[in-house]
Amino acid sequence: MEKWICSTCGTQFPPSEQPPETCPICLDERQYVGYNGQQWTTLAKLKNEGFRNEFKEHEPGLIGIGTTPSFAIGERALLIQSSQGNILWDCMSLIDEETIVHIKQLGGLKAIAISHPHYYSTMVEWATSFDIPIFLHEADRQWVMYHSEHISFWSGETFPLSNNMTLVRLGGHFAGGTVLHWQQGVEGKGALLAGDIIQVVADRQWVSFMYSYPNLIPLPASEIKRIQDTIAPYPFERLYGAWFERVVTHDAHAVVLRSADRYIRALQSLPHTSH
Ligand SMILES: [Zn+2]
Ligand SMILES: [Zn+2]
């Protein structure tokens, strides 16, 4: 029996003799099956092939964890250190002994919270290793491929992880699309951990929002407006996107609001005005 991992999206499936026939997450139009068809791997194979995790401090109390060389979507998780227990934001496929030891040195983990199914990866492996819960929005329940007693579904629009960390459901890319508002981040000015629910674009002065990134399917203006209104009450100076280098370092709240305005203007074919 093997716990097969989809090589394209990094999702792990429950133990089986043969690999699953398909990966529903990749068959969905928000992902894709690669040109060479569905490919599978395992954690043991990844380790043998020399994949390893690197840790990088983004700011005091916030450590990025990413796999090198890049695997699947290139998922990068973030570990938030807190006196109330550390949180792992988003997840990634590779988990090995070295990673577990390093995280224990950083104070261990209290819980995992994940933005959307493209980061579910090997979440059950992580939760089992640290014996901790995983918080997922219930609207994305159908995309859980590997069920576990560690998974806890939350519902509604917000969920308090601690007294300074709040999960906010923004939807858009996925119905349960979640961001994490970290009030204490950036010396108390606030940080938003957004995955690709809000995508930091190349110049890092703007963000965008898509139903599908690989297939370039946009969201309707009404959704962008709803996302803009939902995030508006939360102050944050910095926004951490899906990958190490995708960070809006300053004035990120204003960046998100003006980017939503630009997006809506583009969809409504109104004249472009520069800022
Ligand atoms: Zn997949
Ligand atoms: Zn995604």
Side-chain angles (χ1 to χ4, degrees):
M1 300 277 263
E2 290 281 7
K3 289 180 271 186
W4 301 93
I5 294 172
C6 170
S7 299
T8 307
C9 72
T11 304
Q12 187 184 47
F13 287 68
S16 62
E17 296 282 355
Q18 296 296 320
E21 275 181 27
T22 59
C23 171
I25 293 177
C26 285
L27 283 178
D28 174 54
E29 65 184 1
R30 283 164 284 196
Q31 251 292 102
Y32 64 96
V33 177
Y35 202 63
N36 296 319
Q38 177 66 49
Q39 309 282 318
W40 300 97
T41 187
T42 63
L43 265 180
K45 206 169 163 214
L46 287 178
K47 290 174 200 171
N48 284 338
E49 287 168 351
F51 287 93
R52 50 177 294 279
N53 287 336
E54 57 177 7
F55 289 67
K56 196 174 112 184
E57 188 183 66
H58 281 287
E59 63 175 87
L62 190 71
I63 294 129
I65 311 169
T67 301
T68 180
S70 181
F71 175 69
I73 298 170
E75 289 94 339
R76 182 275 271 110
L78 289 163
L79 187 151
I80 310 172
Q81 288 178 302
S82 160
S83 56
Q84 296 171 59
N86 298 346
I87 298 291
L88 189 73
W89 166 249
D90 275 337
C91 202
M92 54 202 286
S93 300
L94 180 64
I95 173 168
D96 57 13
E97 203 45 44
E98 197 187 328
T99 305
I100 293 169
V101 168
H102 198 140
I103 288 177
K104 283 183 176 163
Q105 286 165 354
L106 293 168
L109 290 175
K110 185 183 82 167
I112 301 171
I114 301 183
S115 59
H116 72 296
H118 294 152
Y119 283 78
Y120 286 176
S121 58
T122 61
M123 60 179 174
V124 172
E125 207 79 50
W126 284 77
T128 307
S129 297
F130 291 94
D131 193 23
I132 52 173
I134 307 165
F135 295 107
L136 306 178
H137 198 281
E138 66 161 7
D140 292 335
R141 187 189 289 261
Q142 72 179 106
W143 300 107
V144 173
M145 298 295 125
Y146 190 167
H147 290 275
S148 158
E149 61 190 9
H150 289 280
I151 297 173
S152 177
F153 292 102
W154 63 280
S155 54
E157 302 312 307
T158 61
F159 179 81
L161 274 179
S162 73
N163 62 13
N164 61 57
M165 288 181 232
T166 308
L167 297 179
V168 182
R169 176 202 193 180
L170 285 191
H173 180 39
F174 271 82
T178 297
V179 296
L180 188 157
H181 182 251
W182 180 34
Q183 208 183 308
Q184 266 182 338
V186 200
E187 294 159 349
K189 292 179 193 162
L192 196 72
L193 282 49
D196 63 2
I197 300 307
I198 299 175
Q199 179 81 279
V200 178
V201 298
D203 68 7
R204 294 178 280 185
Q205 306 301 314
W206 295 84
V207 299
S208 195
F209 320 81
M210 294 286 261
Y211 179 71
S212 171
Y213 294 98
N215 302 316
L216 306 174
I217 307 172
L219 286 164
S222 57
E223 269 293 273
I224 303 302
K225 181 72 185 126
R226 193 192 49 72
I227 289 170
Q228 188 185 39
D229 290 345
T230 305
I231 205 60
Y234 295 89
F236 53 93
E237 174 71 8
R238 196 167 291 161
L239 185 146
Y240 289 94
W243 301 293
F244 275 119
E245 73 283 9
R246 295 294 173 114
V247 180
V248 179
T249 54
H250 300 294
D251 214 15
H253 186 266
V255 165
V256 170
L257 298 188
R258 77 170 188 228
S259 298
D261 282 339
R262 178 170 83 166
Y263 198 110
I264 293 167
R265 268 202 313 275
L267 290 174
Q268 293 173 339
S269 305
L270 296 176
H272 180 82
T273 53
S274 57
H275 288 261

